[in-house]
Amino acid sequence: MSDVKTLTTKERLAIAPQMMPEQDPLVRITNMEEVACGFTAEQVMAEASRCLDCKNAPCVKGCPVSIDIPGFVKAAEVGDFAKSIEIIRESSLLPAICGRVCPQEKQCQMYCTVGKSLKDVEKSVGIGRIERFVADYDRAQGNSSIPNIAKATGKKVAIVGTGPASISAAADCRKAGHEVVMFEAFHKPGGVLVYGIPEFRLPKAIVEEEINTLRKMGVEIRLNFLVGRTRKLKDLIDQDGFDAVFVGTGAGLPNFLNIPGENLVGVFSANEYLTRSNLMKAYARGEAETPIYQSKRVAVVGGGNVAMDAARMAKRLGAQEVHVIYRRNESDMPARIEEVHHAKQEQIVFHFLRNIKEIKGDADSRVCEVVLSHYKEGEPDEQGRRRPELIPGENSTMPMDTVIIAVGNVSNPLIKQTTSELVTNKWGNIEVDESFETSIKNIYAGGDIVSGAATVILAMGQGREAAAAINKRLAK
Amino acid sequence: MNKITDVKQLSENVFEMTFEAKDICRERKAGQFLIIQIDSDFGERIPLTIADSDEENGTITIVFQAVGTTTMKLAQKKVGDKLENVLGPLGTPTHIEKFGKVVCVGGGIGVAPLFPIIKALKAAGNEVTSIIGARNKELLIMEEKVANHSDKVIVCTDDGSYGIKALVTQPLKEACENDKPDMVVVIGPPIMMKFCAETTRPFGVHTVVSLNSIMVDGTGMCGGCRVSVGGETKFVCVDGPEFDGHKVDFDNLMARNRAYTSHEQESTHKCRIGLTRG
């Protein structure tokens, strides 16, 4: 452990932000390894020393699960990584995952006093990167400690889905001493963490380890079980002896654009493209039996993180050119700045204020060209974002062989369709009260199935709140 | 789980396999299907139709043709082996009621998923005529089972080696002309379903087809199975697999089913090496 000098605020503000070591862009587009390699211990301590330990801790307000951020950052500053991770684990189950995929610049780091003083959110303390380091450090030590489990209550809780919301709900219900069974439709647990987020952004070994912690806690995970079809939701309570159910089935149904040519061969939802390449490992040619389309010129439609993931995956799978087409301007992109930056480094070409209007196919119904309509920035909308305004008659075409549609997901309607009493809103999201209970007693829901497509950490936060409500109900 | 209890070879590369699947057995209805994956790490998830089930023993029976990597590996499984991943029942069940006179048309391996529908329609009090066809006698499957639940069975083979020498569209057309059915159900290769739908269209007979498209998850998540029905995009896995045959864009379906032809040729070549049975 190093000596900590008492630094003044001025001195702390003068410390340069640590640069995240990364794989060279031209190397990384030829492999699936993680892009960001992670800080060294020295870097973490230096980065942590930039934190001013503000009394009011504005960063914590930006965290959906209210991690004691100054607490873990200050422990990291003095090299007490064990204490640091312990502090995080009090509030978050998945630090190695959240340290990688949370949009910190829109959460904790957005409120960081350092970033505000330096007038640049990118110069805020790298909270996420410190979190990632201490989580990885802990794992490397083999310290994946299992939380204490209360005495068995004899109550049973079913968790539908195994994504972030479900993982946190399962852990908290199990900690309270209930028997917990998770139901997953796929052959592997983890939800979007395994089918959606690519290996180069979130190594699957990390997800597996977090899931194994649940198993070690005594949570049972039943794979290949689609609630709604393999068993009706209500039967879990009425027939199978569960006392409460948490539904965390996420936003899994891909939106399409309803444009001509969308069903041509070579047009994919980002979900399909990413599922083939992540969960089904289609990148491992010769080993994986699931095929992936052989592309040379790929157009990705959309401006979110999923669009970035799909574009960067296409590049890694051997596409010569990958073009991102987005209806608004660069500053309006919902994707994380870091992901856009990485994509640009990887030679992804961006076309702003353009939208795909039509996809044209050859004689074999395979994609050969896209037609784009052009937009300009119009009047600002209520949120101040300038509305894209169509420039009539102005079109362009680009030769393409693959189109990936990444314009968002909506909730999967299966549970609703097979559970008539369940109340949903006009977008198909399940309606819940303030304790995350649905219109059916003892059935709770949280995560994207309630709030629409959002982030891993928000889903986790809701999973925890729902679990707290379930535990309270079952304690009666 | 999913322990295989019986395997039969029905023809050169068509197999009938029965395995334990209590949960699926309890919920399954006519018209639904499964997703099977042999190996969790690198295996492909493929949709397979349910041919029958036995509630007493909690078993499901599938009939499949060993044509791709997964089905060839499946064909090598023996009684006592376990299937690593089986998900189901998937898809919207067939709408069963008393329609009156119903003609059920099955081509090749399509007779297998048609059988539970024939059984359910017959049990609902319909007068069922079944037309089943294959390229030759050797490839014709489940004739006896179909006959046990139909009022009338017409067998067609392309080469005339058994039954009448005709395509299934011929007796279907005759049925429409002579004794117009209230409904027709067709399951078989897309090209056959397309021509059956064209056969019944001029007679205005409602024609249900069951589509088998490329899928990954089978739960509505990927959209790989999408098909154009009456100008609208539908997902075969959740909106189907059954649709109004007069509205399906079969040409698009067939093109989409060919998306990975080159990949498959490569991998089945590798796979045939070592295929002992069939």
Side-chain angles (χ1 to χ4, degrees), chain B residues 18-236:
Chain B
T18 302
F19 56 88
E20 291 168 359
K22 247 195 203 112
D23 290 333
I24 299 172
C25 190
R26 181 179 55 198
E27 299 286 333
R28 58 101 17 182
K29 292 189 176 66
Q32 291 186 297
F33 64 96
L34 310 169
I35 292 265
I36 290 186
Q37 186 197 29
I38 304 267
D39 159 53
S40 291
D41 276 324
F42 293 106
E44 187 175 8
R45 295 167 63 93
I46 58 158
L48 287 175
T49 47
I50 301 173
D52 209 354
S53 70
D54 178 342
E55 270 107 276
E56 216 171 287
N57 295 315
T59 59
I60 290 281
T61 300
I62 55 171
V63 172
F64 62 93
Q65 202 164 2
V67 285
T69 310
T70 305
T71 44
M72 284 183 192
K73 285 188 178 173
L74 199 57
Q76 294 176 54
K77 297 271 177 196
K78 295 176 187 70
V79 171
D81 288 350
K82 284 175 185 173
L83 299 178
E84 212 163 305
N85 299 297
V86 181
L87 172 68
L90 301 171
T92 309
T94 310
H95 175 67
I96 299 289
E97 62 170 69
K98 190 174 174 184
F99 298 100
K101 278 178 293 188
V102 179
V103 174
C104 296
V105 188
I109 188 132
V111 177
L114 186 66
F115 172 64
I117 300 171
I118 291 172
K119 215 163 138 182
L121 284 169
K122 179 70 188 153
N126 291 286
E127 187 191 321
V128 179
T129 300
S130 295
I131 303 172
I132 56 173
R135 284 208 310 277
N136 56 47
K137 186 184 176 186
E138 223 272 304
L139 297 173
L140 190 81
I141 57 166
M142 299 175 83
E143 185 194 355
E144 199 187 318
K145 278 187 163 185
V146 167
N148 287 342
H149 295 270
S150 308
D151 295 279
K152 187 179 170 193
V153 181
I154 302 167
V155 177
C156 314
T157 49
D158 295 5
D159 66 353
S161 54
Y162 189 58
I164 56 170
K165 183 177 190 260
L167 298 173
V168 289
T169 44
Q170 189 190 309
L172 177 62
K173 189 171 180 225
E174 285 162 10
C176 289
E177 281 165 350
N178 303 333
D179 191 12
K180 197 171 130 179
D182 297 294
M183 188 180 68
V184 169
V185 183
V186 187
I187 308 183
I191 189 78
M192 177 206 123
M193 292 193 280
K194 177 184 170 173
F195 282 106
C196 285
E198 288 316 314
T199 302
T200 60
R201 192 191 298 274
F203 298 96
V205 178
H206 180 53
T207 301
V208 173
V209 294
S210 179
L211 308 181
N212 193 346
S213 51
I214 294 175
M215 290 184 192
V216 182
D217 60 295
T219 67
M221 211 204 75
C222 82
C225 64
R226 66 193 189 279
V227 58
S228 177
V229 181
E232 260 182 84
T233 294
K234 297 278 181 192
F235 288 8
V236 172

Side-chain angles (χ1 to χ4, degrees), chain A residues 185-188 195 222 224-226 229-232 235 240 252-254 256 258 262-265 267-269 271-272 275-276 279-281 284 286-293 364-366 412, chain B residues 1 23 26-27 32 37 40-45 69-70 73 84-93 214 216-217 219-224 226-228 233 235 252 255-256 258-260 263 270:
Chain A
F186 267 128
H187 55 280
K188 273 189 191 153
Y195 75 73
R222 290 198 60 186
N224 302 307
F225 196 109
L226 179 63
R229 287 274 180 236
T230 312
R231 194 68 165 148
K232 300 273 183 297
D235 286 344
D240 301 345
L253 206 76
F256 284 93
N258 298 313
E262 205 166 17
N263 292 341
L264 287 167
V265 179
V267 184
F268 303 92
S269 71
N271 265 5
E272 179 181 1
T275 301
R276 283 178 181 275
L279 179 74
M280 308 310 294
K281 300 192 172 113
E287 260 188 302
E289 286 163 10
T290 301
I292 190 90
Y293 206 64
D364 295 326
S365 293
R366 288 178 180 253
N412 193 317
Chain B
M1 210 188 275
D23 290 333
R26 181 179 55 198
E27 299 286 333
Q32 291 186 297
Q37 186 197 29
S40 291
D41 276 324
F42 293 106
E44 187 175 8
R45 295 167 63 93
T69 310
T70 305
K73 285 188 178 173
E84 212 163 305
N85 299 297
V86 181
L87 172 68
L90 301 171
T92 309
I214 294 175
V216 182
D217 60 295
T219 67
M221 211 204 75
C222 82
R226 66 193 189 279
V227 58
S228 177
T233 294
F235 288 8
N252 182 245
R256 290 185 62 80
R258 284 193 299 267
Y260 298 104
H263 175 100
K270 247 192 319 195

Side-chain angles (χ1 to χ4, degrees), chain A residues 99-310:
Chain A
R100 287 172 166 82
V101 302
C102 263
Q104 289 101 2
E105 70 279 5
K106 287 174 186 163
Q107 297 176 344
C108 51
Q109 291 174 201
M110 188 165 97
Y111 300 97
C112 173
T113 312
V114 175
K116 287 216 187 312
S117 305
L118 300 173
K119 297 190 171 55
D120 184 354
V121 70
E122 287 188 65
K123 290 187 178 146
S124 293
V125 175
I127 298 167
R129 292 168 175 186
I130 300 171
E131 179 186 28
R132 168 183 162 158
F133 175 88
V134 294
D136 288 355
Y137 174 88
D138 187 53
R139 236 187 24 261
Q141 307 290 305
N143 287 347
S144 55
S145 53
I146 295 162
N148 290 329
I149 311 286
K151 203 167 121 271
T153 59
K155 300 274 171 66
K156 273 172 77 178
V157 181
I159 309 278
V160 185
T162 60
S166 298
I167 291 173
S168 55
D172 282 1
C173 288
R174 180 70 194 121
K175 277 194 257 180
H178 308 310
E179 189 185 326
V180 175
V181 183
M182 300 181 88
F183 296 95
E184 167 60 45
F186 267 128
H187 55 280
K188 273 189 191 153
V192 72
L193 304 173
V194 294
Y195 75 73
I197 305 177
E199 180 77 18
F200 57 82
R201 212 147 72 75
L202 178 64
K204 300 305 152 229
I206 291 175
V207 181
E208 254 166 59
E209 228 163 300
E210 303 287 4
I211 301 270
N212 275 339
T213 307
L214 285 179
R215 287 201 172 103
K216 284 186 213 152
M217 287 166 68
V219 171
E220 185 194 340
I221 302 176
R222 290 198 60 186
L223 303 172
N224 302 307
F225 196 109
L226 179 63
V227 173
R229 287 274 180 236
T230 312
R231 194 68 165 148
K232 300 273 183 297
L233 181 62
K234 278 199 75 188
D235 286 344
L236 293 173
I237 287 189
D238 298 343
Q239 312 269 336
D240 301 345
F242 286 98
D243 299 286
V245 179
F246 172 78
V247 181
T249 48
L253 206 76
N255 285 329
F256 284 93
L257 294 161
N258 298 313
I259 55 167
E262 205 166 17
N263 292 341
L264 287 167
V265 179
V267 184
F268 303 92
S269 71
N271 265 5
E272 179 181 1
Y273 196 77
L274 289 171
T275 301
R276 283 178 181 275
S277 34
N278 295 325
L279 179 74
M280 308 310 294
K281 300 192 172 113
Y283 59 82
R285 288 208 191 107
E287 260 188 302
E289 286 163 10
T290 301
I292 190 90
Y293 206 64
Q294 300 299 305
S295 312
K296 290 194 172 71
R297 294 176 57 89
V298 180
V300 179
V301 186
N305 286 322
V306 175
M308 297 305 106
D309 286 346

Side-chain angles (χ1 to χ4, degrees), chain A residues 383-395:
Chain A
Q383 284 118 41
R385 285 213 304 184
R386 296 182 70 173
R387 249 184 256 274
E389 217 173 84
L390 183 75
I391 308 173
E394 209 176 298
N395 294 327

